[in-house]
């Protein structure tokens, strides 16, 4: 449609895993790289069927890591939403304009 929606989130992922072998041996088998972690954030966001809350996204992202990577036993996800607000033009919400509103 002609009305656009977006959010800006800062996502932090903390993974608990059985990857200590990478420090004690010469093997990186089963490692989850930082690029993989970053890319999964985008994959999960794109896979969401509808607009969602930061909480729903965090649950889906954490589940993706635990379900997809055998060495990961726990995943903590923090999502902080930037304060964007739909721009008003002549007193009405603009269809695709946003203004960043700094926290008070």
């Amino acid at each position: 449609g002609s009305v656009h929606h977006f959010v800006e989130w800062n996502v932090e992922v903390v993974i608990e895993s059985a990857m200590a072998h990478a420090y004690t041996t010469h093997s990186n088998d089963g490692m989850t790289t930082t690029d993989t972690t970053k890319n999964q954030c985008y994959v999960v966001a794109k896979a969401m069927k509808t607009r969602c809350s930061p909480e729903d996204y965090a649950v889906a992202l954490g589940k993706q890591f635990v379900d997809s990577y055998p060495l990961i036993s726990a995943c903590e996800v923090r999502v902080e939403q930037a304060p964007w607000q739909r721009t008003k033009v002549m007193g009405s919400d603009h269809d695709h304009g946003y203004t960043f509103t700094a926290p008070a």
Side-chain angles (χ1 to χ4, degrees):
S2 63
V3 178
H4 297 186
H5 301 276
F6 91 100
V7 292
E8 178 184 345
W9 289 338
N10 180 28
V11 179
E12 180 180 347
V13 177
V14 179
I15 294 171
E16 186 174 312
S17 64
M19 294 184 215
H21 68 273
Y23 296 100
T24 59
T25 69
H26 298 302
S27 172
N28 286 338
D29 288 344
M31 293 294 291
T32 306
T33 66
T34 54
D35 282 348
T36 298
T37 303
K38 177 189 71 170
N39 291 336
Q40 285 301 318
C41 292
Y42 294 118
V43 167
V44 170
K46 188 170 176 80
M48 300 301 284
K49 301 287 185 222
T50 60
R51 292 192 318 259
C52 67
S53 69
E55 295 82 6
D56 289 341
Y57 171 76
V59 168
L61 183 58
K63 187 170 174 20
Q64 171 78 4
F65 281 108
V66 173
D67 291 351
S68 300
Y69 299 94
L71 297 181
I72 295 177
S73 56
C75 182
E76 181 179 336
V77 180
R78 295 183 198 104
V79 181
E80 182 179 323
Q81 185 166 318
W84 288 93
Q85 198 170 45
R86 193 169 291 280
T87 300
K88 295 231 182 255
V89 176
M90 300 169 127
S92 297
D93 287 343
H94 193 274
D95 286 346
H96 54 266
Y98 288 83
T99 303
F100 187 82
T101 57

